[in-house]
Amino acid sequence: MEKMRELYHTEGTLQKDFVGQISYTVCLPETFCELDIAFTFDKQHFSAEDLTNQRKTEVRDICRSKYGLELNDEQLYRLMTGEMKTEIHTLATLNDTFIGCVHRQLTSRHMHFTAREATEGCLPVERIEGVLRITILVFNVLLDNTHYHLCVTAR
C-alpha cells in the first residue's frame, strides 16, 4: 500500500492566557482517498516546578476575587496540578463543509478520514480534494512558550 505523504506541517508557540483561533488553509494538490491531521501540544498542566509562590498567589487571588473561593494549600495544589489545564481543540472543513472536530483533553490527537471511516467526532469523506482548513481552537493557555505542531498527511 502507498505510504502517507506529508502535505503540510507547521509549528508555533502560544503565550500564557492566549484565547482564540488559528486557521491554516491547505490547497490539496490532487484527490486523495485517506487524510490524517495530526496535532500535538505540550504544557497542558502545571508541573511542580511551575508552582512558584508568585503563581500560587496569583491563582489564589483569582479564585478569591472572581469565584469567592478560599483555598487551603492542598486544595490549591490539587486545582493547579489536576484541574487547571491548557485546552486546545482541532476543527476541520473541506471546501467550507464541516468534516470534523476533536474536542478531547489530549495533547496528541489525529483526525483521520477515509470514504468509509473517520475518527470519532469526524465524518467520512468520499472525495478528499479541494481546500482543507484546519482551525486550532484555543480556549486557555496556562504557560508561556506552549509549543504546538500540526501535520497533514494523505494517500
Side-chain angles (χ1 to χ4, degrees), residues 88-126:
I88 305 174
H89 304 290
T90 52
L91 179 138
T93 63
L94 186 61
N95 303 314
D96 292 325
T97 300
F98 173 87
I99 60 172
C101 185
V102 176
H103 185 90
R104 293 190 201 114
Q105 304 307 317
L106 304 170
T107 57
S108 180
R109 70 199 63 175
H110 286 265
M111 298 173 79
H112 196 85
F113 306 88
T114 69
R116 291 194 175 96
E117 298 177 330
T119 302
E120 185 179 353
C122 301
L123 304 170
V125 179
E126 188 69 37

Side-chain angles (χ1 to χ4, degrees), residues 37-46 84-90 102-110 136 140 142 146-150:
I37 301 166
F39 179 77
T40 61
F41 70 95
D42 62 5
K43 300 183 183 180
Q44 184 177 31
H45 295 280
F46 287 121
M84 294 177 73
K85 63 187 172 291
T86 292
E87 190 169 348
I88 305 174
H89 304 290
T90 52
V102 176
H103 185 90
R104 293 190 201 114
Q105 304 307 317
L106 304 170
T107 57
S108 180
R109 70 199 63 175
H110 286 265
I136 309 302
N140 186 42
L142 284 182
T146 296
H147 184 261
Y148 70 90
H149 183 265
L150 173 69

Side-chain angles (χ1 to χ4, degrees), residues 126-141:
E126 188 69 37
R127 293 182 58 83
I128 301 168
E129 62 184 8
V131 178
L132 173 68
R133 174 167 287 136
I134 302 133
T135 303
I136 309 302
L137 306 165
V138 183
F139 294 96
N140 186 42
V141 177

Side-chain angles (χ1 to χ4, degrees), residues 16-72:
K16 179 182 179 296
D17 297 329
F18 177 78
V19 175
Q21 299 178 0
I22 304 166
S23 290
Y24 295 95
T25 302
V26 180
C27 295
L28 301 177
E30 59 192 80
T31 301
F32 296 97
C33 63
E34 186 175 1
L35 175 71
D36 189 80
I37 301 166
F39 179 77
T40 61
F41 70 95
D42 62 5
K43 300 183 183 180
Q44 184 177 31
H45 295 280
F46 287 121
S47 68
E49 297 81 43
D50 296 321
L51 301 182
T52 63
N53 286 334
Q54 179 181 349
R55 185 164 282 133
K56 289 191 282 188
T57 298
E58 177 185 310
V59 171
R60 187 174 266 136
D61 289 348
I62 289 170
C63 289
R64 183 180 301 121
S65 65
K66 289 192 175 190
Y67 306 107
L69 295 174
E70 291 293 334
L71 302 176
N72 64 37

